[in-house]
Amino acid sequence: MPITSETLEFLMENRLQDSRAWFSEHKSRYRELVLKPMQELVAALSPGMLEIDPDLITQPSINRTISQLHRDTRFSKDKSLYRDNCWLVFMRQKKLYDGLPAFYLDISPRGFSYGMGYYQASSASMTAARELILGRELVFLTALSAYEGQSLFVMEGEMYKRSRYADQPEPYLSWLMRKNFSFNRHSKDLELLFSDRLAGELLEGYRLLAPVYRFLLAAEARRPHPEASDTQHKEGGAS
Protein backbone atom coordinates (compact mmCIF):
# COMPACT_ATOMS: atom_id res chain seq x y z
CA MET A 1 0.00 0.00 0.00
CA PRO A 2 1.26 3.54 -0.68
CA ILE A 3 1.79 6.32 1.83
CA THR A 4 -1.57 8.05 2.38
CA SER A 5 -3.05 11.05 4.14
CA GLU A 6 -3.81 8.67 7.02
CA THR A 7 -0.07 8.03 7.35
CA LEU A 8 0.58 11.72 7.96
CA GLU A 9 -2.46 12.01 10.23
CA PHE A 10 -1.16 9.18 12.40
CA LEU A 11 2.29 10.79 12.64
CA MET A 12 0.72 14.04 13.79
CA GLU A 13 -1.72 12.44 16.24
CA ASN A 14 0.98 10.27 17.78
CA ARG A 15 3.20 13.31 18.26
CA LEU A 16 0.38 15.30 19.86
CA GLN A 17 -0.55 12.44 22.20
CA ASP A 18 3.14 11.89 23.03
CA SER A 19 2.29 8.86 25.14
CA ARG A 20 3.81 5.39 25.26
CA ALA A 21 0.44 4.04 26.37
CA TRP A 22 -1.36 5.65 23.41
CA PHE A 23 1.24 4.38 20.94
CA SER A 24 0.98 0.87 22.37
CA GLU A 25 -2.81 0.94 22.06
CA HIS A 26 -2.55 2.06 18.42
CA LYS A 27 0.42 -0.03 17.36
CA SER A 28 -1.61 -1.94 14.79
CA ARG A 29 -2.47 1.38 13.11
CA TYR A 30 1.20 2.34 13.13
CA ARG A 31 2.15 -0.93 11.46
CA GLU A 32 -0.55 -0.60 8.82
CA LEU A 33 -0.36 3.13 8.10
CA VAL A 34 3.33 3.92 8.59
CA LEU A 35 5.59 0.88 8.81
CA LYS A 36 4.06 -1.22 6.02
CA PRO A 37 4.13 1.56 3.37
CA MET A 38 7.72 2.39 4.25
CA GLN A 39 8.72 -1.27 4.06
CA GLU A 40 7.07 -1.62 0.66
CA LEU A 41 8.81 1.53 -0.56
CA VAL A 42 12.21 0.23 0.58
CA ALA A 43 11.54 -3.06 -1.21
CA ALA A 44 10.58 -1.24 -4.40
CA LEU A 45 13.69 0.96 -4.31
CA SER A 46 16.20 -1.71 -3.27
CA PRO A 47 17.12 -3.18 -6.70
CA GLY A 48 17.89 0.26 -8.10
CA MET A 49 19.76 1.34 -4.98
CA LEU A 50 21.97 -1.74 -5.15
CA GLU A 51 22.84 -0.78 -8.72
CA ILE A 52 24.10 2.55 -7.38
CA ASP A 53 26.06 0.88 -4.57
CA PRO A 54 26.00 -2.90 -3.94
CA ASP A 55 27.12 -2.27 -0.33
CA LEU A 56 24.02 -0.31 0.69
CA ILE A 57 21.83 -1.84 3.37
CA THR A 58 18.39 -2.55 1.92
CA GLN A 59 16.75 -4.62 4.65
CA PRO A 60 13.23 -3.16 5.08
CA SER A 61 13.18 -2.99 8.86
CA ILE A 62 13.39 -0.46 11.68
CA ASN A 63 16.88 0.82 12.43
CA ARG A 64 18.21 -0.74 9.23
CA THR A 65 16.52 1.41 6.59
CA ILE A 66 13.48 2.76 8.45
CA SER A 67 13.46 5.11 11.42
CA GLN A 68 11.59 4.49 14.62
CA LEU A 69 9.15 7.12 15.86
CA HIS A 70 10.41 7.12 19.42
CA ARG A 71 13.00 9.83 20.11
CA ASP A 72 16.26 9.45 21.99
CA THR A 73 16.00 12.34 24.45
CA ARG A 74 19.15 11.68 26.49
CA PHE A 75 21.08 14.58 24.95
CA SER A 76 18.18 16.81 23.92
CA LYS A 77 16.46 19.69 25.68
CA ASP A 78 13.26 18.62 23.91
CA LYS A 79 11.93 15.72 25.98
CA SER A 80 9.05 14.85 23.65
CA LEU A 81 8.80 11.08 23.36
CA TYR A 82 7.77 10.94 19.70
CA ARG A 83 8.59 12.80 16.50
CA ASP A 84 6.06 13.61 13.78
CA ASN A 85 8.31 12.53 10.92
CA CYS A 86 9.50 9.19 9.62
CA TRP A 87 12.35 8.51 7.21
CA LEU A 88 14.05 5.82 5.24
CA VAL A 89 17.80 5.74 4.69
CA PHE A 90 20.04 3.79 2.35
CA MET A 91 23.61 3.74 3.62
CA ARG A 92 26.45 1.32 4.17
CA GLN A 93 26.92 -0.67 7.36
CA LYS A 94 27.67 1.75 10.20
CA LYS A 95 29.55 -0.95 12.11
CA LEU A 96 32.05 -1.22 9.27
CA TYR A 97 32.14 2.42 8.14
CA ASP A 98 32.02 5.60 10.18
CA GLY A 99 30.01 8.69 9.25
CA LEU A 100 29.05 7.80 5.70
CA PRO A 101 26.79 9.73 3.29
CA ALA A 102 23.34 8.28 2.68
CA PHE A 103 20.30 8.51 0.42
CA TYR A 104 17.11 9.40 2.26
CA LEU A 105 13.40 10.19 2.17
CA ASP A 106 11.80 12.07 5.09
CA ILE A 107 8.02 12.44 5.41
CA SER A 108 5.97 14.50 7.85
CA PRO A 109 2.65 16.38 7.99
CA ARG A 110 4.57 19.39 6.62
CA GLY A 111 5.56 17.62 3.39
CA PHE A 112 8.57 15.57 2.42
CA SER A 113 12.18 15.84 1.38
CA TYR A 114 14.62 13.47 -0.25
CA GLY A 115 18.15 13.43 -1.54
CA MET A 116 21.61 12.41 -0.48
CA GLY A 117 24.40 13.61 1.76
CA TYR A 118 25.74 13.59 5.28
CA TYR A 119 23.59 14.13 8.31
CA GLN A 120 26.70 15.55 9.96
CA ALA A 121 29.99 15.22 8.11
CA SER A 122 33.19 14.85 10.08
CA SER A 123 35.92 17.43 9.68
CA ALA A 124 38.13 14.67 8.28
CA SER A 125 35.55 13.90 5.57
CA MET A 126 35.30 17.54 4.55
CA THR A 127 39.07 17.95 4.52
CA ALA A 128 39.39 14.92 2.25
CA ALA A 129 36.64 16.27 -0.03
CA ARG A 130 38.41 19.61 -0.32
CA GLU A 131 41.63 17.85 -1.29
CA LEU A 132 39.79 16.16 -4.15
CA ILE A 133 38.29 19.49 -5.23
CA LEU A 134 41.56 21.41 -5.08
CA GLY A 135 43.33 18.59 -6.91
CA ARG A 136 40.78 18.79 -9.74
CA GLU A 137 40.27 15.04 -9.36
CA LEU A 138 38.06 13.43 -12.01
CA VAL A 139 35.64 12.05 -9.40
CA PHE A 140 34.90 15.63 -8.27
CA LEU A 141 34.71 17.08 -11.77
CA THR A 142 32.18 14.36 -12.65
CA ALA A 143 30.16 15.16 -9.52
CA LEU A 144 30.25 18.88 -10.29
CA SER A 145 29.04 18.29 -13.84
CA ALA A 146 26.23 16.02 -12.62
CA TYR A 147 25.07 18.54 -10.01
CA GLU A 148 25.17 21.50 -12.37
CA GLY A 149 23.38 19.49 -15.06
CA GLN A 150 20.23 19.02 -12.98
CA SER A 151 17.74 21.34 -11.30
CA LEU A 152 15.90 19.00 -8.93
CA PHE A 153 18.24 19.12 -5.93
CA VAL A 154 19.81 22.02 -4.07
CA MET A 155 23.15 21.75 -2.27
CA GLU A 156 22.78 22.70 1.37
CA GLY A 157 25.04 22.80 4.41
CA GLU A 158 26.40 25.51 6.68
CA MET A 159 29.14 27.58 5.10
CA TYR A 160 32.20 29.29 6.54
CA LYS A 161 31.71 33.04 6.76
CA ARG A 162 35.25 33.94 5.76
CA SER A 163 36.58 32.75 2.42
CA ARG A 164 39.69 30.62 2.56
CA TYR A 165 39.86 30.02 -1.16
CA ALA A 166 39.76 33.42 -2.83
CA ASP A 167 41.95 32.13 -5.65
CA GLN A 168 39.50 29.38 -6.63
CA PRO A 169 36.93 29.73 -9.44
CA GLU A 170 33.34 30.51 -8.50
CA PRO A 171 31.83 27.05 -9.26
CA TYR A 172 34.19 25.47 -6.74
CA LEU A 173 33.64 27.92 -3.91
CA SER A 174 30.21 26.70 -2.83
CA TRP A 175 31.73 23.24 -2.43
CA LEU A 176 34.95 24.34 -0.74
CA MET A 177 33.23 26.62 1.76
CA ARG A 178 30.82 24.03 3.15
CA LYS A 179 31.02 22.55 6.63
CA ASN A 180 28.66 19.80 5.48
CA PHE A 181 27.27 18.41 2.23
CA SER A 182 23.64 17.53 1.55
CA PHE A 183 21.72 17.62 -1.72
CA ASN A 184 18.01 17.94 -1.11
CA ARG A 185 14.64 18.41 -2.70
CA HIS A 186 11.89 19.76 -0.44
CA SER A 187 8.32 19.28 -1.61
CA LYS A 188 4.70 19.62 -0.56
CA ASP A 189 3.47 17.65 -3.58
CA LEU A 190 1.19 15.27 -1.68
CA GLU A 191 -0.23 13.93 -4.93
CA LEU A 192 3.23 12.53 -5.69
CA LEU A 193 3.83 11.36 -2.12
CA PHE A 194 0.57 9.39 -2.12
CA SER A 195 0.97 7.95 -5.63
CA ASP A 196 2.40 4.74 -7.08
CA ARG A 197 4.87 6.95 -8.97
CA LEU A 198 6.79 7.80 -5.81
CA ALA A 199 9.37 4.99 -5.94
CA GLY A 200 10.17 5.72 -9.57
CA GLU A 201 10.53 9.45 -8.95
CA LEU A 202 12.78 8.86 -5.96
CA LEU A 203 15.00 6.42 -7.81
CA GLU A 204 15.33 8.76 -10.77
CA GLY A 205 16.48 11.47 -8.39
CA TYR A 206 18.89 9.21 -6.55
CA ARG A 207 20.45 8.23 -9.86
CA LEU A 208 21.03 11.90 -10.67
CA LEU A 209 22.95 12.17 -7.41
CA ALA A 210 24.95 8.96 -7.87
CA PRO A 211 28.08 10.76 -9.24
CA VAL A 212 28.00 13.11 -6.24
CA TYR A 213 27.64 10.11 -3.94
CA ARG A 214 30.70 8.51 -5.54
CA PHE A 215 32.63 11.72 -4.93
CA LEU A 216 31.73 11.61 -1.24
CA LEU A 217 32.70 7.93 -1.06
CA ALA A 218 36.05 8.82 -2.63
CA ALA A 219 36.54 11.40 0.12
CA GLU A 220 35.67 8.77 2.73
CA ALA A 221 38.21 6.37 1.22
CA ARG A 222 40.84 9.10 1.39
CA ARG A 223 40.48 9.91 5.08
CA PRO A 224 41.49 7.76 8.08
CA HIS A 225 38.57 5.94 9.70
CA PRO A 226 38.42 5.29 13.43
CA GLU A 227 36.39 2.37 14.67
CA ALA A 228 32.74 3.01 13.89
CA SER A 229 31.09 5.10 16.57
CA ASP A 230 27.74 4.46 18.18
CA THR A 231 26.51 7.92 17.17
CA GLN A 232 23.02 7.85 15.75
CA HIS A 233 22.86 8.67 12.04
CA LYS A 234 20.13 11.18 12.58
CA GLU A 235 17.72 12.51 15.17
CA GLY A 236 15.61 14.71 12.92
CA GLY A 237 15.04 14.76 9.20
CA ALA A 238 18.09 14.20 6.97
CA SER A 239 18.65 17.45 5.33
Side-chain angles (χ1 to χ4, degrees):
M1 61 176 293
I3 296 166
T4 66
S5 60
E6 291 180 287
T7 305
L8 304 186
E9 289 167 5
F10 179 88
L11 291 173
M12 176 61 80
E13 186 174 6
N14 182 59
R15 172 66 182 84
L16 292 174
Q17 294 289 338
D18 204 36
S19 161
R20 288 188 178 91
W22 188 91
F23 181 79
S24 180
E25 291 171 5
H26 296 81
K27 205 161 189 178
S28 61
R29 288 182 61 211
Y30 158 71
R31 289 172 178 154
E32 182 67 21
L33 298 176
V34 180
L35 183 56
K36 185 176 178 180
M38 295 297 272
Q39 287 176 322
E40 291 182 358
L41 187 54
V42 169
L45 288 168
S46 290
M49 300 309 298
L50 291 174
E51 290 177 3
I52 294 174
D53 181 357
D55 291 327
L56 290 173
I57 295 172
T58 58
Q59 182 180 342
S61 59
I62 295 173
N63 291 332
R64 297 291 283 170
T65 52
I66 301 169
S67 70
Q68 57 182 339
L69 298 188
H70 188 270
R71 298 179 64 250
D72 182 351
T73 62
R74 291 174 297 173
F75 308 108
S76 174
K77 292 182 180 180
D78 180 0
K79 297 303 180 182
S80 303
L81 297 177
Y82 295 94
R83 58 176 63 89
D84 67 355
N85 64 316
C86 182
W87 63 82
L88 61 83
V89 171
F90 290 99
M91 68 182 300
R92 290 181 172 184
Q93 175 59 260
K94 287 186 285 187
K95 292 182 179 179
L96 300 178
Y97 305 92
D98 176 56
L100 287 173
F103 295 89
Y104 81 96
L105 164 72
D106 186 296
I107 67 170
S108 79
R110 296 173 297 283
F112 66 102
S113 62
Y114 66 99
M116 186 278 303
Y118 294 102
Y119 173 58
Q120 186 172 354
S122 70
S123 59
S125 294
M126 298 305 293
T127 296
R130 291 186 196 102
E131 290 173 356
L132 293 172
I133 297 168
L134 293 171
R136 308 297 197 265
E137 300 286 347
L138 179 60
V139 70
F140 167 68
L141 296 177
T142 303
L144 178 64
S145 177
Y147 176 69
E148 292 187 338
Q150 58 82 46
S151 58
L152 194 63
F153 299 99
V154 175
M155 178 164 53
E156 298 177 336
E158 185 181 357
M159 299 184 72
Y160 291 104
K161 294 180 180 179
R162 182 177 299 177
S163 176
R164 305 177 181 183
Y165 305 97
D167 60 332
Q168 295 299 311
E170 184 64 32
Y172 293 7
L173 286 179
S174 63
W175 297 71
L176 288 166
M177 294 294 293
R178 300 278 172 182
K179 297 180 181 180
N180 196 46
F181 282 132
S182 64
F183 301 83
N184 311 302
R185 181 194 179 201
H186 305 284
S187 177
K188 296 184 181 296
D189 184 357
L190 298 184
E191 182 180 351
L192 172 60
L193 183 63
F194 300 156
S195 76
D196 293 333
R197 297 183 292 110
L198 180 62
E201 293 278 347
L202 293 175
L203 188 55
E204 182 178 345
Y206 295 150
R207 285 173 173 153
L208 288 175
L209 292 174
V212 185
Y213 175 71
R214 287 190 282 270
F215 159 64
L216 298 184
L217 287 186
E220 291 301 315
R222 192 181 185 98
R223 77 167 177 95
H225 280 262
E227 292 185 6
S229 69
D230 293 328
T231 303
Q232 293 290 328
H233 178 61
K234 59 188 290 185
E235 167 61 23
S239 50

Short mmCIF file of all heavy atoms in Angstrom, two decimals, residues 47-78:
data_model
loop_
_atom_site.label_atom_id
_atom_site.label_comp_id
_atom_site.label_asym_id
_atom_site.label_seq_id
_atom_site.Cartn_x
_atom_site.Cartn_y
_atom_site.Cartn_z
N PRO A 47 16.33 -2.75 -5.53
CA PRO A 47 17.12 -3.18 -6.70
C PRO A 47 17.87 -2.03 -7.35
O PRO A 47 19.05 -2.17 -7.70
CB PRO A 47 16.05 -3.76 -7.63
CG PRO A 47 14.95 -4.20 -6.74
CD PRO A 47 14.91 -3.17 -5.64
N GLY A 48 17.22 -0.89 -7.50
CA GLY A 48 17.89 0.26 -8.10
C GLY A 48 18.97 0.83 -7.21
O GLY A 48 20.02 1.27 -7.69
N MET A 49 18.75 0.83 -5.89
CA MET A 49 19.76 1.34 -4.98
C MET A 49 21.01 0.46 -4.98
O MET A 49 22.13 0.97 -4.89
CB MET A 49 19.19 1.45 -3.56
CG MET A 49 18.00 2.37 -3.43
SD MET A 49 18.24 4.02 -4.14
CE MET A 49 19.58 4.65 -3.14
N LEU A 50 20.83 -0.83 -5.11
CA LEU A 50 21.97 -1.74 -5.15
C LEU A 50 22.75 -1.60 -6.45
O LEU A 50 23.94 -1.93 -6.50
CB LEU A 50 21.51 -3.18 -4.95
CG LEU A 50 20.99 -3.48 -3.54
CD1 LEU A 50 20.40 -4.88 -3.48
CD2 LEU A 50 22.10 -3.31 -2.50
N GLU A 51 22.11 -1.10 -7.50
CA GLU A 51 22.84 -0.78 -8.72
C GLU A 51 23.75 0.43 -8.50
O GLU A 51 24.86 0.50 -9.06
CB GLU A 51 21.86 -0.51 -9.87
CG GLU A 51 21.11 -1.74 -10.35
CD GLU A 51 20.10 -1.40 -11.44
OE1 GLU A 51 20.04 -0.22 -11.84
OE2 GLU A 51 19.37 -2.32 -11.86
N ILE A 52 23.28 1.37 -7.70
CA ILE A 52 24.10 2.55 -7.38
C ILE A 52 25.28 2.15 -6.49
O ILE A 52 26.42 2.58 -6.71
CB ILE A 52 23.24 3.63 -6.69
CG1 ILE A 52 22.19 4.17 -7.67
CG2 ILE A 52 24.10 4.76 -6.14
CD1 ILE A 52 21.20 5.13 -7.04
N ASP A 53 25.01 1.33 -5.49
CA ASP A 53 26.06 0.88 -4.57
C ASP A 53 25.66 -0.48 -4.01
O ASP A 53 24.74 -0.56 -3.18
CB ASP A 53 26.25 1.89 -3.43
CG ASP A 53 27.34 1.48 -2.46
OD1 ASP A 53 27.93 0.39 -2.62
OD2 ASP A 53 27.63 2.26 -1.52
N PRO A 54 26.34 -1.55 -4.42
CA PRO A 54 26.00 -2.90 -3.94
C PRO A 54 26.18 -3.08 -2.43
O PRO A 54 25.68 -4.06 -1.87
CB PRO A 54 26.97 -3.81 -4.71
CG PRO A 54 27.40 -3.02 -5.89
CD PRO A 54 27.40 -1.58 -5.43
N ASP A 55 26.88 -2.14 -1.76
CA ASP A 55 27.12 -2.27 -0.33
C ASP A 55 26.08 -1.55 0.52
O ASP A 55 26.19 -1.55 1.76
CB ASP A 55 28.51 -1.72 0.01
CG ASP A 55 29.63 -2.58 -0.54
OD1 ASP A 55 29.44 -3.82 -0.61
OD2 ASP A 55 30.69 -2.04 -0.91
N LEU A 56 25.08 -0.96 -0.09
CA LEU A 56 24.02 -0.31 0.69
C LEU A 56 23.18 -1.34 1.42
O LEU A 56 22.87 -2.41 0.89
CB LEU A 56 23.13 0.53 -0.23
CG LEU A 56 23.75 1.79 -0.84
CD1 LEU A 56 22.79 2.40 -1.86
CD2 LEU A 56 24.11 2.80 0.23
N ILE A 57 22.78 -1.01 2.63
CA ILE A 57 21.83 -1.84 3.37
C ILE A 57 20.44 -1.61 2.80
O ILE A 57 20.01 -0.47 2.64
CB ILE A 57 21.86 -1.49 4.87
CG1 ILE A 57 23.22 -1.83 5.47
CG2 ILE A 57 20.75 -2.21 5.61
CD1 ILE A 57 23.39 -1.32 6.89
N THR A 58 19.73 -2.68 2.50
CA THR A 58 18.39 -2.55 1.92
C THR A 58 17.35 -3.37 2.68
O THR A 58 16.23 -3.54 2.19
CB THR A 58 18.40 -2.99 0.44
OG1 THR A 58 18.86 -4.35 0.35
CG2 THR A 58 19.29 -2.09 -0.39
N GLN A 59 17.70 -3.84 3.85
CA GLN A 59 16.75 -4.62 4.65
C GLN A 59 15.61 -3.73 5.11
O GLN A 59 15.84 -2.73 5.79
CB GLN A 59 17.46 -5.23 5.85
CG GLN A 59 16.58 -6.11 6.73
CD GLN A 59 17.35 -6.68 7.91
OE1 GLN A 59 18.59 -6.70 7.92
NE2 GLN A 59 16.63 -7.13 8.91
N PRO A 60 14.35 -4.06 4.77
CA PRO A 60 13.23 -3.16 5.08
C PRO A 60 12.74 -3.29 6.52
O PRO A 60 11.64 -3.77 6.79
CB PRO A 60 12.15 -3.59 4.08
CG PRO A 60 12.41 -5.05 3.89
CD PRO A 60 13.91 -5.22 3.97
N SER A 61 13.56 -2.87 7.45
CA SER A 61 13.18 -2.99 8.86
C SER A 61 13.64 -1.76 9.64
O SER A 61 14.50 -0.99 9.18
CB SER A 61 13.79 -4.26 9.47
OG SER A 61 15.20 -4.24 9.37
N ILE A 62 13.08 -1.60 10.82
CA ILE A 62 13.39 -0.46 11.68
C ILE A 62 14.85 -0.52 12.11
O ILE A 62 15.38 -1.57 12.45
CB ILE A 62 12.46 -0.44 12.90
CG1 ILE A 62 11.01 -0.20 12.44
CG2 ILE A 62 12.87 0.65 13.89
CD1 ILE A 62 10.00 -0.31 13.55
N ASN A 63 15.48 0.64 12.07
CA ASN A 63 16.88 0.82 12.43
C ASN A 63 17.85 0.16 11.47
O ASN A 63 19.06 0.11 11.74
CB ASN A 63 17.16 0.34 13.86
CG ASN A 63 16.52 1.23 14.91
OD1 ASN A 63 16.31 2.42 14.68
ND2 ASN A 63 16.19 0.66 16.06
N ARG A 64 17.34 -0.31 10.33
CA ARG A 64 18.21 -0.74 9.23
C ARG A 64 18.04 0.25 8.08
O ARG A 64 18.99 0.88 7.67
CB ARG A 64 17.85 -2.17 8.80
CG ARG A 64 18.08 -3.21 9.87
CD ARG A 64 19.55 -3.39 10.14
NE ARG A 64 20.20 -4.18 9.09
CZ ARG A 64 21.51 -4.32 8.98
NH1 ARG A 64 22.32 -3.71 9.83
NH2 ARG A 64 22.04 -5.04 8.01
N THR A 65 16.82 0.39 7.61
CA THR A 65 16.52 1.41 6.59
C THR A 65 15.39 2.34 7.00
O THR A 65 15.18 3.37 6.36
CB THR A 65 16.13 0.74 5.25
OG1 THR A 65 15.07 -0.21 5.49
CG2 THR A 65 17.32 0.02 4.62
N ILE A 66 14.66 1.99 8.05
CA ILE A 66 13.48 2.76 8.45
C ILE A 66 13.64 3.27 9.88
O ILE A 66 14.06 2.52 10.77
CB ILE A 66 12.20 1.89 8.35
CG1 ILE A 66 12.03 1.38 6.91
CG2 ILE A 66 10.96 2.67 8.78
CD1 ILE A 66 10.96 0.31 6.76
N SER A 67 13.31 4.52 10.09
CA SER A 67 13.46 5.11 11.42
C SER A 67 12.35 4.65 12.35
O SER A 67 11.24 4.30 11.93
CB SER A 67 13.42 6.63 11.32
OG SER A 67 12.11 7.08 10.99
N GLN A 68 12.64 4.67 13.63
CA GLN A 68 11.59 4.49 14.62
C GLN A 68 10.98 5.85 14.93
O GLN A 68 11.57 6.89 14.62
CB GLN A 68 12.16 3.86 15.89
CG GLN A 68 13.29 4.64 16.53
CD GLN A 68 13.84 3.94 17.75
OE1 GLN A 68 13.18 3.11 18.36
NE2 GLN A 68 15.07 4.28 18.14
N LEU A 69 9.81 5.85 15.52
CA LEU A 69 9.15 7.12 15.86
C LEU A 69 9.57 7.63 17.23
O LEU A 69 9.47 8.83 17.51
CB LEU A 69 7.64 6.97 15.81
CG LEU A 69 7.01 6.60 14.46
CD1 LEU A 69 5.49 6.69 14.55
CD2 LEU A 69 7.54 7.49 13.35
N HIS A 70 10.02 6.73 18.07
CA HIS A 70 10.41 7.12 19.42
C HIS A 70 11.73 7.89 19.38
O HIS A 70 12.67 7.51 18.69
CB HIS A 70 10.55 5.88 20.31
CG HIS A 70 10.76 6.19 21.74
ND1 HIS A 70 12.01 6.36 22.30
CD2 HIS A 70 9.88 6.39 22.75
CE1 HIS A 70 11.89 6.62 23.59
NE2 HIS A 70 10.60 6.65 23.89
N ARG A 71 11.81 8.99 20.09
CA ARG A 71 13.00 9.83 20.11
C ARG A 71 13.96 9.44 21.22
O ARG A 71 13.54 9.05 22.32
CB ARG A 71 12.61 11.31 20.30
CG ARG A 71 11.76 11.88 19.19
CD ARG A 71 11.41 13.34 19.46
NE ARG A 71 12.59 14.18 19.48
CZ ARG A 71 13.08 14.76 20.57
NH1 ARG A 71 12.49 14.60 21.73
NH2 ARG A 71 14.17 15.51 20.49
N ASP A 72 15.23 9.59 20.97
CA ASP A 72 16.26 9.45 21.99
C ASP A 72 16.46 10.84 22.61
O ASP A 72 16.98 11.75 21.97
CB ASP A 72 17.57 8.96 21.36
CG ASP A 72 18.67 8.76 22.40
OD1 ASP A 72 18.48 9.15 23.57
OD2 ASP A 72 19.74 8.21 22.04
N THR A 73 15.99 11.02 23.83
CA THR A 73 16.00 12.34 24.45
C THR A 73 17.14 12.54 25.44
O THR A 73 17.19 13.55 26.13
CB THR A 73 14.66 12.57 25.20
OG1 THR A 73 14.53 11.58 26.24
CG2 THR A 73 13.48 12.47 24.25
N ARG A 74 18.08 11.60 25.48
CA ARG A 74 19.15 11.68 26.49
C ARG A 74 19.97 12.96 26.37
O ARG A 74 20.38 13.52 27.39
CB ARG A 74 20.08 10.47 26.36
CG ARG A 74 19.44 9.14 26.78
CD ARG A 74 20.38 8.00 26.48
NE ARG A 74 20.64 7.89 25.04
CZ ARG A 74 21.53 7.04 24.53
NH1 ARG A 74 22.27 6.28 25.32
NH2 ARG A 74 21.71 6.99 23.22
N PHE A 75 20.21 13.41 25.15
CA PHE A 75 21.08 14.58 24.95
C PHE A 75 20.32 15.76 24.34
O PHE A 75 20.92 16.63 23.72
CB PHE A 75 22.25 14.18 24.06
CG PHE A 75 22.98 12.95 24.53
CD1 PHE A 75 22.85 11.76 23.85
CD2 PHE A 75 23.76 12.99 25.67
CE1 PHE A 75 23.50 10.62 24.29
CE2 PHE A 75 24.42 11.85 26.12
CZ PHE A 75 24.29 10.67 25.44
N SER A 76 19.01 15.76 24.52
CA SER A 76 18.18 16.81 23.92
C SER A 76 17.42 17.57 24.99
O SER A 76 16.92 16.99 25.96
CB SER A 76 17.20 16.18 22.92
OG SER A 76 16.31 17.14 22.42
N LYS A 77 17.29 18.89 24.78
CA LYS A 77 16.46 19.69 25.68
C LYS A 77 14.98 19.39 25.46
O LYS A 77 14.16 19.55 26.36
CB LYS A 77 16.74 21.17 25.44
CG LYS A 77 18.14 21.61 25.86
CD LYS A 77 18.34 23.10 25.63
CE LYS A 77 19.74 23.53 26.05
NZ LYS A 77 19.96 24.99 25.83
N ASP A 78 14.64 18.98 24.24
CA ASP A 78 13.26 18.62 23.91
C ASP A 78 13.02 17.19 24.41
O ASP A 78 13.60 16.24 23.90
CB ASP A 78 13.05 18.70 22.40
CG ASP A 78 11.64 18.34 21.98
OD1 ASP A 78 10.81 18.02 22.87
OD2 ASP A 78 11.36 18.36 20.76
#
